[in-house]
Amino acid sequence: MEKIISEWIRCPVCGNKTRLQIRADTELKNFPLYCPKCRQESLINAKDLQVTVIKEIEMKTQS
């Protein structure tokens, strides 16, 4: 039986763990990743446990 490897996705801005995990067979494309710690949103791709940042999205505050 093969062991499935998974890792927490880390925020590309502050480096803290987000609330999401990815497995070795997970593929994400143009995924909006939100970090609850720094409250930043980033657009990412993920494949083979490698996460690449497409761009950081500025969060708009409500007035």
Side-chain angles (χ1 to χ4, degrees), residues 17-58:
K17 288 182 185 176
T18 61
R19 295 179 178 148
L20 300 174
Q21 280 187 325
I22 56 172
R23 297 179 357 165
D25 59 349
T26 301
E27 289 187 31
L28 297 172
K29 198 170 193 180
N30 297 326
F31 183 78
L33 177 69
Y34 175 74
C35 176
K37 175 93 176 179
C38 69
R39 297 182 179 175
Q40 295 293 314
E41 190 171 311
S42 302
L43 215 59
I44 64 166
N45 289 338
K47 187 175 183 180
D48 299 324
L49 295 176
Q50 297 295 318
V51 177
T52 54
V53 180
I54 300 169
K55 68 177 180 177
E56 294 172 11
I57 303 168
E58 293 291 324

